[in-house]
Amino acid sequence: MTPDVLGGAILDPGAARDPGAARDARAPAGSDEAPAAMAEAWTKEQFERRLREKGRAYHIHHPFNVMLNSGKAAPEQIRGWVANRFYYQISIPVKDAAILSNCDDRAVRRNWVQRILDHDGHGEDAGGIDSWLRLAEAVGLTRKRVESLSDVLPGVRFAVDAYVNFARRVPWPEAVCSSLTELFAPEIHKQRLASWPEHYPWIDPAGLLYFQSRMSLARRDVELGLAITLERFRTRAEQERALEILQFKLDVLWQMNDAMALRYGVTP
């Protein structure tokens, strides 16, 4: 399933995959709990806990990713994943530029711009996109082929474009909130660094530089994104909106894996 974004409203396809995740911030059917507009806001600690609980829907649990990190993937499956994820990688700085274009807070802009530099490169740092291209070469692809986007699947393109368009159209704090899948990213990079050298010795270890760099950068980035979200989403209705936004981003990542699983298969 793919997420629909209409005028900033989010239709939650994640409910079909994980009904509990879709309801965790809303009153269950038949409940006497007050509507969000009347309910008392969660404390920052309670709000953060609910955001972090969304990690159970992170694509680290998707069968395609489990296959990759458990050593069951064939070279063609790995190459397909690398080529398709490149479209996501090159779209991240575009998404961040959209956030900056809508942001009227100078302090936020001064910090958020670092994300673009991290991906596009700056000075002597070639950046994360270049690191991903080195990963592509390490798994047997050419830069020219990956940069051509010829292997990008329609489902992957649709999901990533939905994410970028969301960031362009909603208020900038909501776009910032959508980045909070970074809460769960260090663990997935840790798994890759721990398992890939053992399971896929044919991959040049130098190609894993991207995962190594994101271990620290993702933690740094999430500190700012989380602080903004906890500060800007204060009422119960706003907090529940934040949970819906995070679920949307989780669905984007899940849909990308769905598309790749359909095209390349999942080795049992």
Side-chain angles (χ1 to χ4, degrees), residues 2 29 33 57 61 67 76 82-83 94 109 131 142-143 150 157 172-174 184 194-195 233 236 243 245 264:
T2 53
E33 185 176 335
H61 305 296
M67 174 193 70
E76 186 59 28
V82 171
V94 177
R109 294 198 305 267
S131 293
T142 65
R143 289 190 175 220
S150 60
R157 187 183 295 270
W172 69 265
E174 294 196 355
F184 323 117
S195 64
F233 293 78
R236 180 64 168 272
L243 292 173
I245 291 168
Y264 302 109

Side-chain angles (χ1 to χ4, degrees), residues 8-73:
I10 300 177
L11 307 179
D12 186 4
R17 185 177 69 248
D18 184 357
R23 292 196 307 266
D24 65 354
R26 296 190 289 272
S31 171
D32 293 329
E33 185 176 335
M38 301 172 59
E40 182 179 355
W42 294 309
T43 66
K44 286 187 177 181
E45 291 75 17
Q46 292 170 328
F47 183 28
E48 180 176 347
R49 183 172 66 250
R50 287 177 179 266
L51 289 167
R52 291 185 181 275
E53 286 172 354
K54 285 288 188 181
R56 66 178 179 269
Y58 192 50
H59 70 288
I60 195 172
H61 305 296
H62 193 285
F64 194 80
N65 182 76
V66 172
M67 174 193 70
L68 289 172
N69 287 351
S70 62
K72 297 179 180 179

Side-chain angles (χ1 to χ4, degrees), residues 76-267:
E76 186 59 28
Q77 290 168 316
I78 294 176
R79 292 178 186 127
W81 177 77
V82 171
N84 277 273
R85 280 281 301 200
F86 180 72
Y87 188 64
Y88 179 78
Q89 300 306 131
I90 62 174
S91 297
I92 292 299
V94 177
K95 175 268 300 182
D96 288 323
I99 293 176
L100 288 177
S101 71
N102 291 327
C103 181
D104 58 359
D105 188 315
R106 184 185 179 207
V108 172
R109 294 198 305 267
R110 284 166 61 90
N111 283 281
W112 205 266
V113 70
Q114 184 62 48
R115 294 168 179 251
I116 297 177
L117 300 178
D118 288 342
H119 278 80
D120 283 340
H122 178 68
E124 296 182 359
D125 180 7
I129 292 174
D130 188 77
S131 293
W132 197 268
L133 288 169
R134 279 183 273 171
L135 171 63
E137 291 175 323
V139 302
L141 295 167
T142 65
R143 289 190 175 220
K144 182 177 180 180
R145 175 174 174 176
V146 175
E147 290 180 314
S148 74
L149 306 181
S150 60
D151 292 312
V152 178
L153 301 169
V156 169
R157 187 183 295 270
F158 180 84
V160 174
D161 288 350
Y163 179 40
V164 175
N165 288 332
F166 176 84
R168 286 179 173 141
R169 296 165 62 182
V170 301
W172 69 265
E174 294 196 355
V176 165
C177 177
S178 70
S179 74
L180 288 184
T181 48
E182 292 165 345
L183 284 166
F184 323 117
E187 180 59 29
I188 204 169
H189 297 318
K190 181 180 178 181
Q191 284 189 7
R192 290 164 184 156
L193 289 170
S195 64
W196 281 39
E198 176 184 355
H199 295 311
Y200 310 116
W202 55 273
I203 298 177
D204 184 350
L208 305 181
L209 175 63
Y210 177 85
F211 306 137
Q212 295 169 344
S213 66
R214 290 309 300 173
M215 286 289 292
S216 59
L217 293 179
R219 290 191 178 97
R220 181 208 66 194
D221 288 348
V222 80
E223 289 179 4
L224 178 60
L226 181 59
I228 291 172
T229 300
L230 294 177
E231 177 61 29
R232 295 273 178 165
F233 293 78
R234 298 182 180 181
T235 69
R236 180 64 168 272
E238 290 170 344
Q239 291 168 337
E240 293 191 8
R241 168 68 174 167
L243 292 173
E244 291 179 340
I245 291 168
L246 182 52
Q247 183 64 51
F248 160 70
K249 175 60 184 308
L250 289 164
D251 287 335
V252 165
L253 296 172
W254 198 273
Q255 163 61 23
M256 291 171 61
N257 280 268
D258 277 349
M260 288 183 279
L262 183 63
R263 170 61 178 83
Y264 302 109
V266 177
T267 305

